[in-house]
Every structure is written in structure tokens, then in C-alpha cells.
Coordinates of all heavy atoms in Angstrom, one line a residue:
M12 N 11.5 6.2 -22.2 CA 12.7 5.4 -21.8 C 12.6 4.0 -22.4 O 12.0 3.8 -23.5 CB 12.7 5.3 -20.3 CG 14.1 5.5 -19.7 SD 14.0 5.3 -17.9 CE 14.0 3.5 -17.7
S13 N 13.2 3.1 -21.8 CA 13.2 1.7 -22.3 C 11.8 1.1 -22.1 O 11.1 1.4 -21.2 CB 14.2 0.9 -21.6 OG 14.1 1.0 -20.2
S14 N 11.5 0.3 -23.0 CA 10.2 -0.4 -23.0 C 10.3 -1.8 -22.7 O 11.1 -2.5 -23.4 CB 9.4 -0.2 -24.3 OG 10.1 -0.8 -25.3
F15 N 9.7 -2.3 -21.7 CA 9.7 -3.7 -21.4 C 8.4 -4.0 -20.7 O 7.7 -3.2 -20.2 CB 10.9 -4.1 -20.5 CG 11.0 -3.3 -19.3 CD1 10.3 -3.7 -18.1 CD2 11.8 -2.2 -19.2 CE1 10.4 -3.0 -17.0 CE2 11.9 -1.5 -18.0 CZ 11.2 -1.9 -16.9
I16 N 8.1 -5.3 -20.7 CA 6.9 -5.7 -20.0 C 7.1 -5.9 -18.6 O 8.0 -6.7 -18.2 CB 6.4 -7.1 -20.7 CG1 6.2 -6.8 -22.2 CG2 5.1 -7.5 -20.1 CD1 6.2 -8.1 -23.0
A17 N 6.4 -5.2 -17.7 CA 6.7 -5.3 -16.3 C 5.8 -6.3 -15.6 O 6.0 -6.6 -14.4 CB 6.4 -3.9 -15.7
E18 N 4.8 -6.7 -16.3 CA 3.9 -7.7 -15.6 C 4.1 -9.1 -16.2 O 4.2 -9.3 -17.4 CB 2.4 -7.3 -15.8 CG 2.1 -6.1 -15.0 CD 0.6 -5.9 -14.9 OE1 -0.1 -6.4 -15.8 OE2 0.1 -5.2 -14.0
S19 N 4.2 -10.1 -15.3 CA 4.4 -11.4 -15.7 C 3.4 -12.3 -15.0 O 3.1 -12.1 -13.9 CB 5.8 -11.9 -15.4 OG 6.0 -13.2 -15.8
E20 N 2.9 -13.3 -15.8 CA 2.0 -14.2 -15.1 C 2.8 -15.4 -14.7 O 3.4 -16.2 -15.4 CB 0.9 -14.7 -16.1 CG -0.1 -15.6 -15.5 CD -1.2 -15.9 -16.5 OE1 -1.2 -15.4 -17.6 OE2 -2.1 -16.8 -16.1
L21 N 2.8 -15.6 -13.4 CA 3.7 -16.6 -12.7 C 2.8 -17.8 -12.5 O 1.7 -17.7 -11.9 CB 4.2 -16.1 -11.4 CG 5.6 -16.5 -11.0 CD1 6.6 -16.1 -12.0 CD2 5.9 -15.9 -9.6
T22 N 3.2 -19.0 -13.0 CA 2.4 -20.2 -12.8 C 3.1 -21.1 -11.8 O 4.3 -21.5 -12.0 CB 2.2 -20.9 -14.1 OG1 1.6 -20.0 -15.0 CG2 1.4 -22.2 -13.9
C23 N 2.5 -21.5 -10.8 CA 3.0 -22.4 -9.7 C 3.2 -23.8 -10.3 O 2.2 -24.3 -10.8 CB 2.1 -22.4 -8.5 SG 2.6 -23.6 -7.3
P24 N 4.4 -24.3 -10.2 CA 4.6 -25.7 -10.8 C 3.9 -26.8 -9.9 O 3.8 -27.9 -10.3 CB 6.1 -25.8 -10.8 CG 6.6 -24.9 -9.8 CD 5.6 -23.8 -9.7
T25 N 3.6 -26.4 -8.7 CA 3.0 -27.4 -7.8 C 1.5 -27.5 -7.9 O 1.0 -28.6 -8.1 CB 3.4 -27.0 -6.3 OG1 4.8 -26.9 -6.2 CG2 2.8 -28.0 -5.3
C26 N 0.8 -26.4 -8.0 CA -0.6 -26.5 -8.0 C -1.2 -26.0 -9.3 O -2.4 -26.1 -9.6 CB -1.2 -25.8 -6.8 SG -1.1 -24.0 -6.8
G27 N -0.4 -25.3 -10.1 CA -0.9 -24.8 -11.4 C -1.6 -23.4 -11.3 O -2.0 -22.9 -12.3
F28 N -1.6 -22.9 -10.1 CA -2.2 -21.6 -9.9 C -1.3 -20.5 -10.6 O -0.1 -20.5 -10.4 CB -2.4 -21.3 -8.4 CG -2.9 -20.0 -8.1 CD1 -4.3 -19.8 -8.2 CD2 -2.1 -18.9 -7.7 CE1 -4.8 -18.5 -7.9 CE2 -2.7 -17.7 -7.4 CZ -4.0 -17.5 -7.5
S29 N -2.0 -19.6 -11.3 CA -1.2 -18.5 -11.9 C -1.7 -17.2 -11.4 O -2.9 -17.0 -11.2 CB -1.2 -18.6 -13.4 OG -2.6 -18.6 -13.9
E30 N -0.8 -16.3 -11.2 CA -1.2 -14.9 -10.8 C -0.3 -13.9 -11.5 O 0.9 -14.2 -11.8 CB -1.0 -14.8 -9.3 CG 0.4 -15.2 -8.8 CD 0.4 -15.2 -7.2 OE1 -0.2 -14.4 -6.6 OE2 1.0 -16.2 -6.7
V31 N -0.8 -12.8 -11.8 CA -0.1 -11.7 -12.5 C 0.6 -10.9 -11.5 O 0.0 -10.4 -10.5 CB -1.0 -10.9 -13.4 CG1 -0.2 -9.7 -14.0 CG2 -1.6 -11.7 -14.5
L32 N 1.9 -10.8 -11.6 CA 2.7 -10.0 -10.7 C 3.5 -8.9 -11.5 O 3.8 -9.1 -12.6 CB 3.8 -10.9 -10.0 CG 3.2 -12.0 -9.1 CD1 4.3 -12.9 -8.7 CD2 2.5 -11.4 -7.9
T33 N 3.7 -7.8 -10.8 CA 4.5 -6.7 -11.4 C 5.9 -6.9 -11.0 O 6.2 -7.0 -9.8 CB 4.0 -5.3 -11.0 OG1 2.7 -5.2 -11.4 CG2 4.9 -4.3 -11.6
M34 N 6.8 -7.0 -11.9 CA 8.2 -7.3 -11.6 C 9.0 -6.0 -11.2 O 8.8 -5.0 -11.8 CB 8.9 -7.9 -12.8 CG 8.3 -9.2 -13.2 SD 9.2 -9.9 -14.6 CE 8.5 -9.0 -16.0
P35 N 9.8 -6.1 -10.2 CA 10.7 -5.0 -9.9 C 11.7 -4.8 -11.0 O 12.2 -5.7 -11.6 CB 11.4 -5.4 -8.6 CG 11.3 -6.9 -8.6 CD 10.1 -7.3 -9.3
V36 N 11.9 -3.5 -11.4 CA 12.7 -3.2 -12.6 C 14.2 -3.5 -12.4 O 14.9 -3.9 -13.2 CB 12.5 -1.7 -13.0 CG1 13.3 -1.4 -14.2 CG2 11.0 -1.5 -13.4
D37 N 14.6 -3.1 -11.2 CA 16.1 -3.1 -11.0 C 16.5 -4.3 -10.1 O 17.7 -4.2 -9.6 CB 16.5 -1.8 -10.3 CG 15.6 -1.5 -9.1 OD1 14.7 -2.3 -8.8 OD2 15.9 -0.4 -8.5
A38 N 15.7 -5.2 -9.8 CA 16.1 -6.3 -9.0 C 15.4 -7.6 -9.5 O 14.4 -7.6 -10.0 CB 15.8 -6.1 -7.5
C39 N 16.1 -8.7 -9.2 CA 15.5 -10.0 -9.6 C 14.8 -10.5 -8.3 O 15.2 -10.3 -7.2 CB 16.6 -11.0 -10.0 SG 17.3 -10.6 -11.6
L40 N 13.7 -11.2 -8.6 CA 12.9 -11.8 -7.5 C 13.3 -13.2 -7.4 O 13.0 -14.0 -8.3 CB 11.4 -11.6 -7.8 CG 10.5 -11.9 -6.6 CD1 10.7 -11.0 -5.5 CD2 9.1 -11.8 -7.1
W41 N 14.0 -13.6 -6.4 CA 14.5 -14.9 -6.2 C 13.4 -15.9 -5.8 O 13.3 -17.0 -6.2 CB 15.6 -15.0 -5.2 CG 16.9 -14.8 -5.9 CD1 17.6 -13.6 -6.0 CD2 17.7 -15.8 -6.5 NE1 18.8 -13.9 -6.7 CE2 18.9 -15.2 -7.0 CE3 17.6 -17.2 -6.7 CZ2 19.9 -15.9 -7.7 CZ3 18.5 -17.9 -7.4 CH2 19.7 -17.3 -7.8
Y42 N 12.6 -15.4 -4.8 CA 11.6 -16.3 -4.2 C 10.2 -15.7 -4.4 O 10.1 -14.5 -4.3 CB 11.9 -16.5 -2.8 CG 13.3 -17.1 -2.5 CD1 14.3 -16.3 -1.9 CD2 13.6 -18.4 -2.9 CE1 15.5 -16.8 -1.7 CE2 14.8 -18.9 -2.7 CZ 15.8 -18.1 -2.1 OH 17.0 -18.6 -1.9
H43 N 9.3 -16.6 -4.6 CA 7.9 -16.1 -4.5 C 7.1 -17.2 -3.9 O 7.2 -18.4 -4.3 CB 7.4 -15.8 -5.9 CG 5.9 -15.5 -5.9 ND1 5.4 -14.3 -5.4 CD2 4.9 -16.2 -6.4 CE1 4.1 -14.4 -5.6 NE2 3.7 -15.5 -6.1
E44 N 6.2 -16.8 -3.0 CA 5.4 -17.8 -2.3 C 4.0 -17.8 -3.0 O 3.4 -16.8 -3.2 CB 5.2 -17.4 -0.8 CG 4.5 -18.5 -0.1 CD 4.2 -18.1 1.4 OE1 5.2 -18.2 2.2 OE2 3.1 -17.6 1.7
C45 N 3.7 -19.0 -3.5 CA 2.4 -19.1 -4.2 C 1.3 -18.8 -3.2 O 1.2 -19.3 -2.1 CB 2.3 -20.6 -4.7 SG 0.6 -21.0 -5.3
S46 N 0.4 -17.9 -3.7 CA -0.7 -17.5 -2.8 C -1.8 -18.5 -2.7 O -2.7 -18.4 -1.9 CB -1.3 -16.2 -3.3 OG -1.7 -16.3 -4.6
A47 N -1.7 -19.6 -3.5 CA -2.7 -20.6 -3.4 C -2.3 -21.8 -2.5 O -3.0 -22.2 -1.7 CB -3.0 -21.2 -4.8
C48 N -1.0 -22.3 -2.7 CA -0.6 -23.4 -1.9 C 0.6 -23.1 -1.0 O 1.1 -24.0 -0.4 CB -0.3 -24.6 -2.9 SG 1.2 -24.4 -3.8
Q49 N 1.0 -21.9 -1.0 CA 2.1 -21.4 -0.2 C 3.5 -22.1 -0.5 O 4.4 -22.1 0.3 CB 1.8 -21.6 1.3 CG 1.0 -20.4 1.9 CD -0.4 -20.4 1.4 OE1 -1.1 -21.4 1.6 NE2 -0.9 -19.4 0.8
T50 N 3.6 -22.8 -1.6 CA 4.9 -23.3 -2.0 C 5.8 -22.2 -2.3 O 5.4 -21.2 -3.0 CB 4.7 -24.2 -3.3 OG1 4.0 -25.3 -3.0 CG2 6.1 -24.6 -3.8
L51 N 7.0 -22.3 -1.8 CA 8.0 -21.3 -2.1 C 8.7 -21.6 -3.5 O 9.4 -22.6 -3.6 CB 9.1 -21.2 -1.0 CG 10.0 -20.0 -1.0 CD1 9.2 -18.7 -0.9 CD2 11.0 -20.1 0.1
L52 N 8.4 -20.8 -4.5 CA 9.0 -21.0 -5.8 C 10.4 -20.4 -5.8 O 10.7 -19.4 -5.3 CB 8.2 -20.3 -6.8 CG 6.7 -20.5 -6.9 CD1 6.1 -19.9 -8.1 CD2 6.4 -22.0 -6.9
K53 N 11.3 -21.2 -6.4 CA 12.7 -20.8 -6.5 C 13.1 -21.0 -8.0 O 12.5 -21.8 -8.7 CB 13.7 -21.7 -5.7 CG 13.4 -21.5 -4.2 CD 14.4 -22.4 -3.4 CE 13.7 -22.7 -2.1 NZ 14.2 -24.0 -1.6
P54 N 14.0 -20.2 -8.5 CA 14.4 -20.3 -9.9 C 15.0 -21.6 -10.2 O 15.7 -22.2 -9.4 CB 15.5 -19.2 -10.1 CG 15.3 -18.3 -8.9 CD 14.8 -19.1 -7.8
N55 N 14.8 -22.0 -11.5 CA 15.5 -23.2 -11.9 C 17.0 -23.0 -12.1 O 17.4 -21.8 -12.3 CB 14.9 -23.7 -13.3 CG 13.4 -24.1 -13.2 OD1 13.1 -24.7 -12.2 ND2 12.7 -23.8 -14.2
P56 N 17.8 -24.0 -12.0 CA 19.2 -23.8 -12.3 C 19.5 -23.1 -13.6 O 18.9 -23.5 -14.6 CB 19.8 -25.2 -12.3 CG 18.8 -26.0 -11.5 CD 17.5 -25.4 -11.8
G57 N 20.3 -22.1 -13.5 CA 20.6 -21.3 -14.8 C 19.7 -20.1 -15.0 O 20.0 -19.3 -15.8
D58 N 18.6 -20.1 -14.3 CA 17.7 -18.9 -14.4 C 18.0 -17.9 -13.2 O 18.4 -18.3 -12.2 CB 16.2 -19.3 -14.3 CG 15.8 -20.0 -15.6 OD1 16.4 -19.7 -16.6 OD2 14.8 -20.8 -15.5
C59 N 17.8 -16.6 -13.5 CA 18.2 -15.6 -12.6 C 17.1 -15.3 -11.6 O 17.3 -14.7 -10.5 CB 18.6 -14.4 -13.3 SG 17.3 -13.5 -14.1
C60 N 15.8 -15.6 -11.9 CA 14.7 -15.3 -11.0 C 13.5 -16.1 -11.3 O 13.5 -16.8 -12.3 CB 14.4 -13.8 -11.0 SG 13.6 -13.3 -12.6
V61 N 12.5 -16.1 -10.4 CA 11.4 -16.9 -10.6 C 10.6 -16.6 -11.9 O 9.9 -17.4 -12.4 CB 10.4 -16.8 -9.4 CG1 11.1 -17.5 -8.2 CG2 10.1 -15.4 -9.0
F62 N 10.7 -15.3 -12.3 CA 10.0 -14.9 -13.5 C 10.5 -15.6 -14.7 O 9.8 -16.0 -15.7 CB 10.0 -13.4 -13.7 CG 9.2 -12.7 -12.7 CD1 9.9 -11.9 -11.7 CD2 7.8 -12.8 -12.6 CE1 9.2 -11.2 -10.7 CE2 7.1 -12.1 -11.6 CZ 7.8 -11.3 -10.7
C63 N 11.9 -15.8 -14.7 CA 12.5 -16.5 -15.9 C 12.1 -18.0 -15.9 O 12.0 -18.6 -16.9 CB 14.0 -16.3 -15.8 SG 14.5 -14.6 -16.1
S64 N 11.9 -18.5 -14.7 CA 11.6 -19.9 -14.6 C 10.1 -20.2 -14.8 O 9.7 -21.2 -15.5 CB 12.0 -20.5 -13.3 OG 13.4 -20.5 -13.2
F65 N 9.3 -19.4 -14.2 CA 7.8 -19.7 -14.2 C 6.9 -18.7 -14.8 O 5.7 -18.9 -14.9 CB 7.4 -20.0 -12.7 CG 8.3 -21.0 -12.0 CD1 9.2 -20.5 -11.0 CD2 8.3 -22.3 -12.3 CE1 10.0 -21.5 -10.4 CE2 9.1 -23.2 -11.7 CZ 9.9 -22.8 -10.7
G66 N 7.5 -17.6 -15.1 CA 6.7 -16.5 -15.7 C 6.4 -16.6 -17.2 O 7.1 -17.3 -17.9
T67 N 5.5 -15.8 -17.6 CA 5.3 -15.7 -19.1 C 6.2 -14.8 -19.8 O 6.4 -14.8 -21.0 CB 3.8 -15.2 -19.4 OG1 3.6 -14.0 -18.6 CG2 2.8 -16.2 -18.9
V68 N 6.9 -13.9 -19.0 CA 7.8 -12.9 -19.5 C 9.1 -13.0 -18.7 O 9.1 -13.1 -17.5 CB 7.2 -11.5 -19.4 CG1 8.1 -10.5 -20.0 CG2 5.8 -11.5 -20.0
P69 N 10.2 -13.0 -19.4 CA 11.5 -12.9 -18.7 C 11.6 -11.6 -17.9 O 10.9 -10.6 -18.2 CB 12.6 -12.9 -19.8 CG 11.9 -13.4 -21.0 CD 10.4 -13.0 -20.8
C70 N 12.5 -11.6 -16.9 CA 12.6 -10.5 -16.0 C 13.1 -9.3 -16.8 O 13.8 -9.4 -17.8 CB 13.4 -10.8 -14.8 SG 15.2 -11.1 -15.2
P71 N 12.9 -8.1 -16.3 CA 13.3 -6.8 -17.0 C 14.8 -6.8 -17.4 O 15.1 -6.5 -18.6 CB 13.0 -5.7 -16.0 CG 11.8 -6.2 -15.3 CD 12.1 -7.7 -15.1
P72 N 15.8 -7.2 -16.6 CA 17.2 -7.2 -17.0 C 17.4 -8.1 -18.2 O 18.1 -7.7 -19.1 CB 17.9 -7.7 -15.8 CG 17.1 -7.4 -14.6 CD 15.7 -7.5 -15.1
I73 N 16.7 -9.2 -18.3 CA 16.9 -10.1 -19.4 C 16.3 -9.5 -20.7 O 16.8 -9.5 -21.8 CB 16.2 -11.5 -19.1 CG1 16.9 -12.2 -17.9 CG2 16.2 -12.4 -20.4 CD1 18.2 -12.7 -18.3
Q74 N 15.1 -8.9 -20.5 CA 14.5 -8.2 -21.6 C 15.4 -7.1 -22.2 O 15.5 -7.0 -23.4 CB 13.1 -7.6 -21.2 CG 12.1 -8.7 -20.9 CD 10.8 -8.0 -20.6 OE1 10.3 -7.1 -21.3 NE2 10.1 -8.4 -19.5
L75 N 16.0 -6.4 -21.3 CA 16.8 -5.2 -21.8 C 18.1 -5.8 -22.4 O 18.5 -5.2 -23.4 CB 17.2 -4.3 -20.6 CG 16.0 -3.6 -20.0 CD1 16.4 -2.9 -18.7 CD2 15.3 -2.7 -21.0
H76 N 18.6 -6.8 -21.9 CA 19.8 -7.4 -22.5 C 19.5 -7.9 -23.9 O 20.3 -7.7 -24.8 CB 20.3 -8.6 -21.7 CG 21.1 -8.1 -20.4 ND1 21.5 -9.0 -19.5 CD2 21.4 -6.9 -20.0 CE1 22.1 -8.4 -18.5 NE2 22.1 -7.1 -18.8
A77 N 18.4 -8.5 -24.0 CA 18.0 -9.1 -25.3 C 17.9 -8.0 -26.4 O 18.1 -8.2 -27.6 CB 16.7 -9.8 -25.2
K78 N 17.5 -6.8 -26.0 CA 17.4 -5.7 -26.9 C 18.7 -4.9 -27.1 O 18.8 -4.0 -27.9 CB 16.3 -4.7 -26.4 CG 14.9 -5.2 -26.5 CD 14.0 -4.2 -26.0 CE 12.6 -4.8 -25.9 NZ 11.7 -4.0 -25.1
G79 N 19.7 -5.3 -26.3 CA 21.0 -4.6 -26.5 C 21.1 -3.3 -25.8 O 21.9 -2.5 -26.2
N80 N 20.1 -3.0 -25.0 CA 20.1 -1.6 -24.3 C 21.1 -1.5 -23.1 O 21.4 -0.5 -22.7 CB 18.7 -1.3 -23.9 CG 17.8 -1.1 -25.1 OD1 18.3 -0.8 -26.2 ND2 16.5 -1.2 -24.8
V81 N 21.4 -2.7 -22.6 CA 22.3 -2.7 -21.4 C 23.5 -3.5 -21.7 O 23.5 -4.5 -22.4 CB 21.5 -3.3 -20.2 CG1 22.4 -3.4 -19.0 CG2 20.2 -2.5 -19.9
E82 N 24.6 -3.0 -21.2 CA 25.9 -3.8 -21.5 C 25.9 -5.0 -20.6 O 25.6 -5.0 -19.5 CB 27.1 -2.9 -21.1 CG 27.1 -1.6 -21.9 CD 28.5 -1.2 -22.2 OE1 29.4 -1.8 -21.6 OE2 28.7 -0.2 -22.9
V83 N 26.3 -6.1 -21.3 CA 26.4 -7.4 -20.6 C 27.7 -7.4 -19.8 O 28.8 -7.0 -20.4 CB 26.3 -8.6 -21.5 CG1 26.4 -9.9 -20.8 CG2 25.0 -8.5 -22.3
H84 N 27.7 -7.8 -18.6 CA 29.0 -7.8 -17.8 C 29.9 -8.9 -18.4 O 29.5 -10.0 -18.5 CB 28.7 -8.1 -16.4 CG 27.6 -7.2 -15.8 ND1 27.2 -7.4 -14.5 CD2 26.9 -6.2 -16.3 CE1 26.2 -6.6 -14.3 NE2 26.0 -5.8 -15.3
Ligands
ZN5 ZN1 0.9 -23.2 -5.8

């Protein structure tokens, strides 16, 4: 099927702690609580999820759009 990177390393902007998370394929993750300092991470304006803002890899829908596999609304 489609190939995308499902794991992203999320770096907390508050304390710098980073953790590898597996992204849900069909949904964007809006909020993530840092497991080190409990800061609730939220996406930056214009970003669709925390992975796009703080992760090493854009979220799956963005990756698929970039490859042209999914129709853009
Ligand atoms: Zn943190």
C-alpha cells in the first residue's frame, strides 16, 4: 500500500525532551502531553497537528498529499 513514515520524534519546545511516537494514520493528533514536563503541546498556527509543528516527520496525511496519492480537498 502507501508508504509513509509512521513514527515521528516529537520534541517538546518547553523542556527539549524528545520522544518517538507512532502517528495515527487516519487522524491528526492535535494535542500531546509531554511526558517529561506535562506541557500540553498544541500545533503552531497553520499546522494541522503537533507532529507537523514539533515532530521530525510531517503527519501521514501531509506525507500522502506530498506524494500526490491523495486528492487535496
Ligand atoms: Zn516537555
Side-chain angles (χ1 to χ4, degrees):
M12 219 182 83
S13 49
S14 63
F15 54 86
I16 304 161
E18 288 191 339
S19 180
E20 186 177 352
L21 214 60
T22 302
C23 172
T25 301
C26 71
F28 178 79
S29 58
E30 54 191 318
V31 174
L32 298 172
T33 301
M34 298 182 280
V36 176
D37 52 357
C39 287
L40 190 63
W41 268 95
Y42 303 110
H43 172 72
E44 189 182 280
C45 173
S46 54
C48 69
Q49 274 75 54
T50 293
L51 192 62
L52 308 187
K53 294 177 206 154
N55 293 324
D58 283 337
C59 68
C60 70
V61 290
F62 293 110
C63 292
S64 293
F65 308 110
T67 51
V68 183
C70 67
I73 297 289
Q74 291 183 47
L75 295 174
H76 284 175
K78 288 177 187 166
N80 291 338
V81 176
E82 300 210 354
V83 181
H84 311 175

